[in-house]
Amino acid sequence: MRCVRDRLRLPSRRGRIGALCATALVGACAALGPALAGAQTTSTTTSTTATSTTATSTTSTGGATTTTTSTSTSTTTTKAGAPSLSAVQEKYLRLAETGIDVQSARWRTSQDGGWYCEILGCTGTYPLLTIWGVVRMFESVDATELAYPSAAHRAAVDHYANDAAKLYWNKYLNGYDPYPGDDYPAAQAWFDDNGWLGLAFMDAYQATGERRWVGDAQRALSFIAANGWSGGGPGGGMWWNTQHQQKSGEALAADSLLAILLYDANHDGSDLRDAQEWIDWANQFDVGFRGLYDSQGPRSSIIDYVEAPLIYGQYLLCQALHRQDYCNHAAAQASTLSRVYGTAYNLAPLYDSIFFQWMMAYDKATGQTHWIGVAEQNASAAMSHATIGDGLWLGSWWGGAIHDPNTQPGMFRTMAGTTSLYAWLAYYA
């Protein structure tokens, strides 16, 4: 069975941290808008394209079926010499731009220089986006710049990377903590947050060539290595957060992949050693159902977005060490995933979009197309079902309720997860 463990990470005040964690067994194993208006300039020759994107949702009530169609227009100013996209990639790019530019604006607030809210309407005592809430949109802007470099896409990367580095850094912890401005010595931080944010910084570097984002990713990994790893052997693994009360497969997955990507960028042997130690531990002590990785240590459940970063990270470790056994194990894990999960991923857009990002990266690295094809099937389902309410992507990809009980109505992360699926397909498809 697969389960997901999510949390609402609340900021701490006067030394008190609030954190809500829920563990649930779910399912079977089987934006920038006006802010960018002045940013679309470049010193090279540019062209401007305006494209309308249409999304359709269907709802049934009392036997009657109602179809709602929403259309939005996005404009992209592209640099001369930008890569040529296929018609399929162009479709996904326009959808991603709609999420980034049009839909995200609904969550924007004047707080913290124009950041975003966790839930529509900015409700609650702590309304702003946490790290966990923002990383999928951060990854979305990275993907669009990778797919089709432009002044607007680059400005979006700079916006998210600059603000994330500023808002979430805790100078006392020397790490990132979840809520904007929660910067004091007793703050609580999560090691999976630091991993996911570090990965977004690495993708920002891949998209822009800016070495400063590598530095921000390295800060995350240094914090993880110093405070998150509990050691090897039975009972070891990666802590979930700085309270050191439970282990986390999510943290292990994100942090292992971050370590090997940083090694590829910096060729620092300590990053390679961390990646190998953590992946070796996972292969020996953190496997469960059909050899897939566990989410909370031995005999816990499997989650798709724990599997994908470890599969791709293991493949990269194979390349770095020239050890075919890691490649073979990554391939075996990917094959098992295909048999266990099938093709319809419907836990929640946040989690499933992480899974597809890294499985598509694995496909591209190995010269395959299987997972890209599965991602396209899920994107097609999302285009039919994810649009609900007043035209926002807040529904499940395959219809019906979102299975994850921790996904609340109106969450930015839900819209961002669907945007991320489209954005990475614009790059990989």
Side-chain angles (χ1 to χ4, degrees):
M1 305 294 287
R2 66 175 177 174
C3 92
V4 64
R5 184 179 38 158
D6 196 5
R7 64 283 189 211
L8 298 177
R9 296 175 182 187
L10 305 179
S12 36
R13 296 287 175 87
R14 298 188 179 92
R16 297 194 298 270
I17 307 286
L20 173 62
C21 169
T23 302
L25 192 62
V26 183
C29 286
L32 297 176
L36 294 182
Q40 296 184 1
T41 59
T42 177
S43 59
T44 60
T45 303
T46 62
S47 63
T48 303
T49 303
T51 304
S52 294
T53 301
T54 301
T56 303
S57 61
T58 303
T59 56
S60 297
T61 305
T65 300
T66 302
T67 300
T68 303
T69 300
S70 59
T71 302
S72 58
T73 301
S74 59
T75 301
T76 302
T77 302
T78 58
K79 297 178 182 178
S84 176
L85 299 181
S86 69
V88 170
Q89 289 176 299
E90 180 81 12
K91 173 185 69 176
Y92 291 127
L93 180 65
R94 299 311 170 202
L95 285 164
E97 288 172 335
T98 297
I100 293 165
D101 297 338
V102 180
Q103 297 221 6
S104 66
R106 294 286 300 277
W107 281 265
R108 195 149 196 186
T109 174
S110 60
Q111 297 185 56
D112 281 303
W115 201 226
Y116 301 89
C117 301
E118 192 80 32
I119 296 176
L120 279 173
C122 258
T123 59
T125 306
Y126 307 112
L128 299 180
L129 271 185
T130 60
I131 291 176
W132 190 225
V134 78
V135 285
R136 295 322 299 157
M137 190 58 75
F138 189 173
E139 289 283 16
S140 298
V141 299
D142 293 342
T144 56
E145 174 67 1
L146 280 165
Y148 204 60
S150 74
H153 294 162
R154 172 59 186 268
V157 174
D158 289 344
H159 167 66
Y160 277 93
N162 276 313
D163 282 12
K166 175 182 67 176
L167 293 173
Y168 300 115
W169 179 251
N170 185 312
K171 61 180 177 291
Y172 300 102
L173 297 179
N174 284 319
Y176 298 98
D177 70 20
Y179 196 79
D182 200 26
D183 183 21
Y184 74 102
Q188 183 177 341
W190 276 258
F191 299 113
D192 58 332
D193 276 356
N194 276 262
W196 301 125
L197 189 58
L199 291 171
F201 281 126
M202 289 304 296
D203 284 328
Y205 161 65
Q206 293 296 330
T208 67
E210 286 285 349
R211 291 289 305 181
R212 57 180 165 158
W213 308 136
V214 177
D216 287 316
Q218 188 68 63
R219 294 199 298 179
L221 184 66
S222 296
F223 174 67
I224 292 161
N227 301 281
W229 179 241
S230 70
M238 193 69 69
W239 291 110
W240 191 32
N241 57 36
T242 49
Q243 287 188 332
H244 287 189
Q245 293 180 342
Q246 63 188 90
K247 305 297 172 39
S248 167
E250 300 96 313
L252 180 67
D255 302 346
S256 299
L257 179 55
L258 177 60
I260 191 62
L261 288 175
L262 275 164
Y263 172 74
D264 284 347
N266 290 333
H267 301 291
D268 186 327
S270 64
D271 295 337
L272 180 62
R273 287 191 294 274
D274 284 340
Q276 185 175 17
E277 181 179 9
W278 300 344
I279 289 173
D280 282 349
W281 183 88
N283 288 341
Q284 184 173 0
F285 297 106
D286 197 41
V287 291
F289 179 81
R290 297 194 183 181
L292 296 174
Y293 298 108
D294 290 323
S295 61
Q296 300 176 51
R299 295 174 298 281
S300 61
S301 299
I302 62 170
I303 312 174
D304 58 1
Y305 77 108
V306 171
E307 310 303 319
L310 284 167
I311 288 171
Y312 183 49
Q314 194 149 207
Y315 171 80
L316 295 177
L317 188 62
C318 162
Q319 303 306 304
L321 295 175
H322 305 288
R323 280 186 48 179
Q324 187 61 34
D325 56 321
Y326 287 119
C327 283
N328 293 343
H329 193 252
Q333 296 287 89
S335 178
T336 299
L337 269 177
S338 184
R339 295 194 302 271
V340 168
Y341 278 89
T343 58
Y345 285 73
N346 206 28
L347 179 57
L350 168 68
Y351 313 115
D352 297 333
S353 66
I354 296 173
F355 171 80
F356 280 118
Q357 177 185 345
W358 298 114
M359 291 311 294
M360 286 192 285
Y362 176 72
D363 255 8
K364 183 177 181 182
T366 57
Q368 301 177 71
T369 60
H370 171 75
W371 292 106
I372 295 170
V374 175
E376 288 201 74
Q377 292 179 54
N378 282 264
S380 179
M383 282 183 262
S384 296
H385 300 291
T387 306
I388 62 173
D390 55 355
L392 297 174
W393 298 335
L394 291 172
S396 66
W397 292 347
W398 291 89
I402 291 176
H403 291 169
D404 169 43
N406 298 289
T407 297
Q408 300 177 12
M411 279 187 148
F412 183 93
R413 65 180 68 171
T414 302
M415 178 274 298
T418 298
T419 300
S420 174
L421 177 66
Y422 298 146
W424 284 105
L425 275 167
Y427 181 55
Y428 287 122

